[in-house]
Amino acid sequence: MIVHIVAGGPKDLLPDLTTYKSQENIKWIAVDRGAIYLQEQGITPNEAIGDFDSMSQEEFARLKISGLTIEQFKAEKDETDMELAINLAYRLNPESIRIFGATGGRLDHLMANISLLYKALEWGRDIPITIIDKQNIAFMKKPGSYTLEQLPQMKYISFIPISKEVEGLTLKGFKYPLENRHIFFGSTLCISNELILNHGTYSFSSGILLVIRSRDK
């Protein structure tokens, strides 16, 4: 099972969610206004969660009478709506989690959502989490060796150190290869690389990397 979480970020950054609708064994979790986005694309979420403060009273009333399972929280809470949704997704024990509607708009929301990827790694979870919008795919990795397939629609690949340093970074099959390099938090050395083969590999021995696959508009 794969869990899709749809949050209430700017609608123009959402990909066409119906392309994911046909996949088997998908559970949809709506975060706040994400429930409206899903319904607009003809998708009924399995559950909606959050404080729903981004909806008008009329919108929330229509949501309640739709028969959707809703888990409502007070606005004054220790977790963000997205964190509550990720916790709910973990309880379903999925193979992976994809997050939509988590980028654009308020920068503090974006940074909080990126930080949740880091927190998931720190929790020791083995369930991969990916943030997806029209222009980007983002995920974090612990040390190891990984393969990336070429995605023509996402030409650019960036490797951003999230920890104080990332040691032993090696890139093979890329336009700008690296061999056993140490990069530090704040480094822009590995921004906007590209694959030159059908696939490439990246590996590192310590630290945490944020990997972003992107395209221009």
Side-chain angles (χ1 to χ4, degrees), residues 85-97:
I86 291 175
N87 289 339
L88 173 59
Y90 277 140
R91 293 198 293 271
L92 298 174
N93 195 31
E95 299 172 16
S96 62
I97 299 170

Side-chain angles (χ1 to χ4, degrees), residues 21 34 41 47 108 131 139 173 186 207:
K21 185 180 178 181
Q41 295 202 29
E47 186 164 345
D108 57 339
I131 293 176
F139 51 91

Side-chain angles (χ1 to χ4, degrees), residues 163-174:
S163 53
K164 184 178 179 180
E165 62 181 319
V166 169
E167 297 183 338
L169 180 61
T170 297
L171 307 178
K172 296 181 179 180
F174 288 82

